[in-house]
Amino acid sequence: MDLEQLRNFTERGIPFNNFLGFEVLELREGFARIKVPPRPEFVGDVQRPALHGGLISTLADSVGGIATFTKLEKDQRASTVDMRVDFLRPGNVDADLIGEGTVLRLGNRVAVAEMRIHQGDPEQPIAIGSAVYNVA
């Protein structure tokens, strides 16, 4: 699918992404940037308060996967094989969450991506991750 189709599929074609409010900010070959606007339901630590790690991990996996899809042929698909997320600091519950994914390598059967999750300053990530995607 072309980039506009991929944008629409990411935002509206995947019910979970639609539920979370994903907004694709940028798509180009090997790169994706997605925003998730704040919602009270995203609080994971009510004492701090801080964002739920599951939301951060979901965004990391999604943005890495979508970045991978930008490099695939129309008949190819990708699915997550392995993912690692390192949480670096608490996420602010009142700020947009931004995920950036970059494909590091696309082979015949697997792709490798790195992800950075931040709230406006990519140099101050709240989490970083890497993932391996099966390509078929």
Side-chain angles (χ1 to χ4, degrees):
M1 68 182 85
D2 67 28
L3 293 180
E4 192 56 35
Q5 290 171 320
L6 184 56
R7 173 188 306 275
N8 289 332
F9 180 72
T10 300
E11 293 177 348
R12 292 180 277 289
I14 301 173
F16 191 55
N17 293 358
N18 188 29
F19 175 76
L20 295 175
F22 277 23
E23 179 185 344
V24 176
L25 300 177
E26 183 178 355
L27 276 180
R28 63 179 189 271
E29 187 176 332
F31 180 82
R33 181 180 292 123
I34 296 174
K35 175 177 85 171
V36 180
R39 289 192 355 215
E41 298 88 355
F42 295 158
V43 174
D45 182 341
V46 295
Q47 293 181 323
R48 274 192 171 161
L51 288 175
H52 194 285
L55 174 65
I56 295 166
S57 295
T58 296
L59 180 58
D61 186 26
S62 297
V63 78
I66 299 306
T68 299
F69 268 87
T70 67
K71 294 188 68 76
L72 299 183
E73 300 296 326
K74 290 182 190 261
D75 63 337
Q76 289 183 300
R77 298 289 175 257
S79 58
T80 309
V81 174
D82 186 52
M83 183 177 77
R84 176 188 173 99
V85 177
D86 294 316
F87 299 94
L88 305 176
R89 60 182 50 84
N92 179 346
V93 299
D94 296 320
D96 290 338
L97 190 62
I98 309 292
E100 297 179 354
T102 304
V103 176
L104 300 178
R105 181 180 188 282
L106 175 63
N108 291 332
R109 294 202 163 99
V110 298
V112 178
E114 66 179 7
M115 299 83 73
R116 182 174 292 263
I117 310 301
H118 61 86
Q119 293 190 290
D121 182 357
E123 298 303 314
Q124 294 292 316
I126 62 172
I128 55 173
S130 60
V132 176
Y133 299 92
N134 180 59
V135 175

